[in-house]
Amino acid sequence: MAAAAWGRRLPRAWLRRCGPDCPRAPRAAGAPPGTRPSLCCRSAGPGRGRHYRAALCVEPKQPLAVEEVGPRPVRPHEVRVDVHFCGVNFADILVCRGQYQEKPQLPFTPGMEFSGIVLETGADVSTVKEGDRVIGVSGFNGMAEECIIDQKTLWQIPEGVSLREAATLPVSYGTALLALEHRACTQPGETVLVTAAAGATGLAVIDVATNILQAKVIAAVGSDEKCQLVMQKGAQSVVNYSQGGLKEAVRKLVGSVGVNVVIDTVGGDVFLEALRRERERQAEGEAGSLQETRRGTRSCGPRIRPWTEGGAKLLSHPGCPLFNFLRNLHINTCLAWEGRIVVVGFAGGTIASVPANLLLLKNVSAMGLYWSRYKEQNFPIFSRTLSSALQYCQQGRIQPHIGAVFKLEKVNDAFLHVIQRKSTGKVLISLK
């Protein structure tokens, strides 16, 4: 579908004058489940402020609409933020397709992370005040000119860090810090392999591993341009999976020692091969045993479909260099003895089944990281990682990379930019 088609607007019927009890009136952006303030009502009640623009997912797998929505009052523990920038994440695309773990009630506004300035605070708010610069983790309502959010999921932006730069930190650097420090327990001098290394999370992993943890990084990317970028960002070695000779290149890089940590954002066969190589080395000369192992461990889960019919495919078709790399590379990566592989996503379109025998043979650990779940299950660690990211940014120890910035009315172009693998680093939506 042409990018222009993604800019369709909601029918004017959505904006007809009606009350909050109208059955056709959807929830206002940021309203909790069970409430139905009059999104379609054009006149705001006392103290409700101005209408503001928001990106709305009205129907799964359809282009987002940008329309004015009605505000609601802040509750005692809530804060109203004037949003300046909002990050675009793969999770936003999945949730708008109805394929994410969380399924917000329709219509909803995507956007997991944002930066902005506090406009209003509830009676019980003590952590921020009007005029403060903040980043927020909203959980799918950040792509709007205003966002109402609980005070505990806001962090003040320190002096010297811009709103634009701060908006890149929550998801990408929160994921990188949790994956490398909390889950993999990466030590100085260890070798870290990161897949899809030129993406927002990949570059954040390179940044944190190299400049915070003093680890060595091998970056896997898909073009010469991306090779140059990841080397500039601190990767010690790079693998270009769009070119031939990859088996030899990877073998030369890791040798028989292997890598200590793999941060995998791709999933599918790259995950399996990261576990399998040591078994292949041990099984050399054992007739038939390796082939049997391969046949028993290549099962993959459901394949992610394109976001819209006729739209750009994800990385799950034979014409994609990354797909061919993952499918055809027999010796891809190598986990060292007691190595750790952290799964943080499935951008490759397939979900691998873990071959438990390889975990045993290599004494390795395979673990997952669902970043946003820490907000509910272990908030102190979640909060500490974001505070650390802000501090590292202020100190100049990390350098977030912004690949593209789109205006709100171009939100569908921004989604296509990510889906078509044109993006490097973080993609932002500018609300100003």
Side-chain angles (χ1 to χ4, degrees), residues 32-180:
T35 61
R36 286 189 174 273
S38 54
L39 175 66
C40 50
C41 180
R42 298 295 291 174
S43 59
R48 292 199 174 196
R50 65 182 180 87
H51 283 69
Y52 59 91
R53 295 184 307 150
L56 296 174
C57 178
V58 181
E59 183 180 350
K61 304 180 183 180
Q62 295 301 314
L64 300 181
V66 177
E67 290 290 349
E68 285 192 350
V69 299
R72 67 171 177 86
V74 297
R75 294 177 175 81
H77 61 284
E78 292 179 331
V79 178
R80 191 189 311 275
V81 178
D82 182 23
V83 178
H84 284 233
F85 295 96
C86 179
V88 177
N89 294 284
F90 197 67
D92 294 309
I93 296 169
L94 291 180
V95 77
C96 289
R97 280 193 53 82
Q99 294 178 325
Y100 196 62
Q101 298 94 319
E102 302 171 26
K103 292 179 170 55
Q105 180 182 343
L106 294 170
F108 67 89
T109 295
M112 303 172 64
E113 58 183 345
F114 65 87
S115 66
I117 298 175
V118 174
L119 289 175
E120 180 185 359
T121 60
D124 296 339
V125 172
S126 59
T127 57
V128 296
K129 64 183 184 301
E130 183 178 343
D132 282 350
R133 301 184 315 135
V134 294
I135 58 171
V137 179
S138 56
F140 299 120
N141 64 345
M143 289 185 189
E145 292 176 328
E146 290 185 9
C147 179
I148 293 179
I149 189 170
D150 192 293
Q151 64 171 332
K152 78 172 186 177
T153 52
L154 288 175
W155 289 261
Q156 291 197 46
I157 301 172
E159 292 292 330
V161 179
S162 68
L163 287 167
R164 174 178 163 132
E165 195 172 36
T168 69
L169 298 177
V171 175
S172 298
Y173 279 84
T175 298
L177 286 164
L178 278 172
L180 290 166

Side-chain angles (χ1 to χ4, degrees), residues 269-387:
D269 285 358
V270 72
F271 174 80
L272 296 177
E273 299 293 350
L275 293 172
R276 182 179 294 127
R277 184 188 183 275
E278 177 67 11
R279 173 58 179 155
E280 291 183 348
R281 187 179 65 82
Q282 293 174 348
E284 287 177 357
E286 298 178 13
S289 62
L290 177 57
Q291 289 301 321
E292 191 62 32
T293 300
R294 285 177 178 167
R295 282 196 294 270
T297 59
R298 294 188 71 84
S299 172
C300 291
R303 190 177 300 281
I304 299 172
R305 296 181 180 275
W307 185 28
T308 63
E309 295 301 324
K313 303 288 184 183
L314 295 180
L315 314 181
S316 56
H317 59 87
C320 173
L322 177 55
F323 177 82
N324 289 328
F325 167 66
L326 302 183
R327 296 294 297 181
N328 299 325
L329 190 59
H330 294 294
I331 299 177
N332 179 339
T333 61
C334 172
L335 268 178
W337 173 261
E338 294 189 337
R340 293 86 73 197
I341 183 167
V342 185
V343 178
V344 299
F346 308 105
T350 56
I351 300 173
S353 298
V354 178
N357 63 313
L358 299 183
L359 303 180
L360 181 149
L361 290 168
K362 298 185 65 178
N363 285 273
V364 299
S365 301
M367 62 195 79
L369 174 61
Y370 184 7
W371 172 77
S372 62
R373 187 71 179 270
Y374 277 85
K375 187 170 65 172
E376 286 76 34
Q377 298 294 324
N378 196 334
F379 186 78
I381 287 180
F382 183 85
S383 181
R384 186 164 65 245
T385 58
L386 294 189
S387 297

Side-chain angles (χ1 to χ4, degrees), residues 218 248-259 277-278 281 331 333-336:
I218 299 173
E248 293 76 14
V250 172
R251 183 180 292 166
K252 288 179 181 178
L253 289 174
V254 300
S256 61
V257 177
V259 299
R277 184 188 183 275
E278 177 67 11
R281 187 179 65 82
I331 299 177
T333 61
C334 172
L335 268 178

Side-chain angles (χ1 to χ4, degrees), residues 396-412:
R397 298 177 65 186
I398 57 174
Q399 302 290 332
H401 180 80
I402 300 171
V405 180
F406 293 81
K407 290 292 188 180
L408 179 61
E409 55 269 22
K410 298 293 185 180
V411 62
N412 293 301

Side-chain angles (χ1 to χ4, degrees), residues 198-249:
T201 299
L203 288 178
V205 168
I206 294 173
D207 207 359
V208 171
T210 301
N211 299 313
I212 304 300
L213 302 177
Q214 286 75 55
K216 296 175 289 186
V217 176
I218 299 173
V221 294
S223 70
D224 290 338
E225 180 184 3
K226 291 178 179 179
C227 285
Q228 295 176 7
L229 174 62
V230 297
M231 293 295 285
Q232 291 170 2
K233 291 297 181 179
Q236 281 72 38
S237 304
V238 63
V239 173
N240 185 342
Y241 46 68
S242 68
Q243 298 178 355
L246 292 172
K247 286 184 288 187
E248 293 76 14

